[in-house]
Amino acid sequence: MYTVRRVAMHELSDFVAVLTLPERHASILAYVEHMFSQGAMRPEWCFLVEKEGEALGRAAFWTLPGKDVPSDIVLLDPPWEDDACGDQLWQDLLLMCKQLGAEQLGYVLDTPAMAPQWQESGPTRQTFLKKKGFHLQRETSRFEWKSDEPRSQEANGGILFRSLSEVGEASFIDAIMRGSASTLDRQIAQERADLGPYLQAKEIFHDLQSMSYEAHWWELAYTPENELIGFVMPTKSPTFATIGYIGVLPEFRGRGYVDVLLNRGVISLVQSGERYIRADTDLHNEPMANSFLRAGFHRFAQRSEYRVRF
């Protein structure tokens, strides 16, 4: 008989060791402890599945800092060869998640496997997720930028920038709403269709507000004639600095404005002390991918984003 139970703080070493090579323990433990400090994970959200006292698998819940309801599942590692054990782990996790008030859960799968989750057995994980009702929502290319060199402003052709402090929340939500029109990002397009342009833009804005940022980092770009061009909203997630959201209005696309906005976002993060930035873009959004490459980012992984609603 399998038992799923919460992990006590003194058992974290046992938790990170389950189904994991010894040389990877330190990276997973550092990740878990950092997530605790950021408020994205909690000790009571970490679980072991056992049989007769032997730990066979593990999983944990994750959410944006400051929120009390899990939004995702991480460190999902049941014994893949034991379907019954995996089923028991999922059933108990689902029950606990519902008790915490969640109505859905996400899961992201990165290829190739890397720290801190080390998601080996990608095809097996995909099969497990599909059997549990998860649906593939989005596939992205992942990019990262690393440098110890200062980043300089480039000529911007007379573009005017105004920060969140200057224009206010309503102007940013309006910019997001307009910039998300005819997007190449499939998930954003679907959410826009489901929620409506305004509610979706408002949700994006407030989700990004739950991360760490400074108001002067978030900027709207205008022509000298005061026409809105686009926006950039860099943030710091619980694990890395990122270009939280960036967009150019449809009527201004194809003119190189995205490169100017991306450079502004990178400079804001670099000036705050960041030397390592990550960002994702939909596999079909080649214009954005090319902008990252021009800005000195390199593609390091592919991510599949899954979600189940219950």
Side-chain angles (χ1 to χ4, degrees):
M1 181 177 178
Y2 302 104
T3 302
V4 178
R5 66 174 180 85
R6 289 179 170 86
V7 175
M9 279 295 292
H10 70 273
E11 298 176 304
L12 282 184
S13 295
D14 296 331
F15 174 76
V16 303
V18 175
L19 299 178
T20 303
L21 296 173
E23 57 267 29
R24 296 176 177 176
H25 292 183
S27 66
I28 300 174
L29 181 60
Y31 167 73
V32 172
E33 291 177 337
H34 182 65
M35 290 299 98
F36 287 170
S37 70
Q38 296 294 303
M41 290 172 60
R42 304 171 185 183
E44 63 269 24
W45 286 5
C46 297
F47 307 92
L48 288 173
V49 57
E50 300 175 327
K51 185 175 183 179
E52 297 177 357
E54 179 186 0
L56 303 177
R58 68 175 176 217
F61 294 144
W62 184 97
T63 194
L64 288 170
K67 297 194 175 183
D68 294 323
V69 177
S71 63
D72 292 81
I73 187 168
V74 294
L75 298 174
L76 176 62
D77 292 292
W80 301 112
E81 73 286 352
D82 190 337
D83 290 342
C85 184
D87 289 345
Q88 186 65 58
L89 175 62
W90 173 245
Q91 289 171 14
D92 283 27
L93 288 175
L94 189 60
L95 177 60
M96 295 175 192
C97 195
K98 289 179 179 179
Q99 291 172 343
L100 289 167
E103 297 178 350
Q104 55 182 297
L105 272 182
Y107 181 79
V108 298
L109 175 60
D110 289 335
T111 305
M114 66 191 74
Q117 296 199 43
W118 300 109
Q119 297 164 309
E120 306 283 4
S121 307
T124 303
R125 289 177 186 271
Q126 292 173 324
T127 299
F128 179 87
L129 293 169
K130 289 176 182 177
K131 286 182 177 179
K132 306 311 176 194
F134 282 81
H135 296 283
L136 180 63
Q137 281 198 313
R138 186 184 188 218
E139 292 178 293
T140 67
S141 293
R142 310 206 69 202
F143 294 86
E144 64 181 6
W145 177 90
K146 298 179 183 179
S147 178
D148 289 325
E149 299 296 323
R151 186 90 171 194
S152 61
Q153 295 282 2
E154 299 175 356
N156 60 29
I159 297 174
L160 305 174
F161 291 94
R162 297 177 185 135
S163 70
L164 174 61
S165 300
E166 296 174 89
V167 301
E169 178 177 322
S171 293
F172 256 87
I173 292 174
D174 178 69
I176 294 170
M177 180 174 65
R178 294 167 63 187
S180 297
S182 62
T183 177
L184 294 176
D185 188 300
R186 289 165 291 179
Q187 183 175 348
I188 292 174
Q190 185 61 55
E191 290 174 349
R192 183 181 171 96
D194 292 343
L195 298 175
Y198 175 75
L199 286 180
Q200 185 222 20
K202 189 175 181 180
E203 184 173 284
I204 289 173
F205 182 87
H206 290 147
D207 279 348
L208 289 172
Q209 275 194 316
S210 67
M211 299 186 189
S212 177
Y213 72 99
E214 298 291 339
H216 65 271
W217 298 354
W218 290 11
E219 294 184 301
L220 300 185
Y222 296 86
T223 68
E225 294 73 35
N226 206 39
E227 297 174 285
L228 179 65
I229 296 170
F231 56 89
V232 63
M233 304 170 72
T235 65
K236 297 182 183 181
S237 78
T239 48
F240 49 80
T242 185
I243 304 298
Y245 199 35
I246 184 172
V248 175
L249 272 60
E251 59 267 32
F252 287 102
R253 291 174 189 162
R255 306 188 200 179
Y257 289 123
V258 68
D259 293 342
V260 178
L261 285 164
L262 179 56
N263 190 55
R264 295 281 295 197
V266 170
I267 287 173
S268 292
L269 292 171
V270 169
Q271 290 179 341
S272 75
E274 296 296 328
R275 297 294 180 265
Y276 173 65
I277 302 170
R278 281 187 170 182
D280 290 23
T281 191
D282 191 288
L283 284 182
H284 288 77
N285 195 346
E286 280 303 315
M288 191 68 241
N290 290 332
S291 182
F292 281 125
L293 295 174
R294 288 192 297 269
F297 287 71
H298 77 274
R299 198 185 319 242
F300 72 95
Q302 180 172 319
R303 168 167 284 187
S304 298
E305 300 181 6
Y306 293 86
R307 186 152 296 276
V308 62
R309 292 176 172 80
F310 34 78

